[in-house]
């Protein structure tokens, strides 16, 4: 039983870290930090959103697949670690 808990906790932690790294890597293309410290989401100035999306295939792939997978990894890791906390009490 202890081996199972250790394995589940390790997998949960790994999934959480991978999800957090994925969000860091995959969102860097469409979040910009301006010189005054504010954040800007979306296309650069002077480019329409539709034109920017049509030209940036990497962004569209990240928004459709990788960013949701990162959130799934974070959520799955959190749930696995909660299960590891609850199993000894049962």
């Amino acid at each position: 039983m202890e081996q199972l808990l250790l394995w589940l906790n390790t997998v949960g932690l790994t999934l959480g870290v991978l999800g957090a790294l994925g969000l860091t890597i995959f969102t860097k293309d469409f979040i910009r930090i301006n010189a005054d410290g504010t954040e800007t989401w979306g296309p650069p100035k002077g480019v329409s959103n539709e034109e920017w999306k049509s030209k940036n295939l990497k962004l569209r792939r990240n928004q459709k697949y990788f960013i949701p997978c990162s959130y799934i990894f974070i959520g799955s890791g959190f749930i696995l670690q909660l299960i590891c906390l609850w199993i000894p009490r049962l």
Side-chain angles (χ1 to χ4, degrees):
M1 184 59 118
E2 291 177 11
Q3 292 294 329
L4 175 68
L5 291 176
L6 179 65
W7 183 81
L8 284 175
N9 198 15
T10 303
V11 170
L13 182 63
T14 304
L15 285 173
V17 169
L18 287 176
L21 287 174
L23 284 179
T24 302
I25 292 168
F26 298 130
T27 58
K28 70 178 181 162
D29 292 332
F30 56 90
I31 299 174
R32 291 180 315 282
I33 298 176
N34 300 323
D36 61 355
T38 59
E39 294 178 1
T40 305
W41 289 65
K45 292 181 180 177
V47 178
S48 71
N49 195 33
E50 291 77 25
E51 179 184 354
W52 185 55
K53 283 184 177 180
S54 67
K55 289 183 179 179
N56 197 344
L57 296 177
K58 180 181 174 185
L59 173 71
R60 291 177 65 203
R61 186 179 64 235
N62 287 348
Q63 286 179 331
K64 190 170 184 179
Y65 300 111
F66 296 129
I67 292 174
C69 285
S70 294
Y71 281 116
I72 290 170
F73 283 4
I74 290 172
S76 300
F78 181 71
I79 289 171
L80 281 176
Q81 289 188 335
L82 282 178
I83 289 171
C84 289
L85 287 173
W86 288 335
I87 283 178
R89 294 182 183 171
L90 297 178

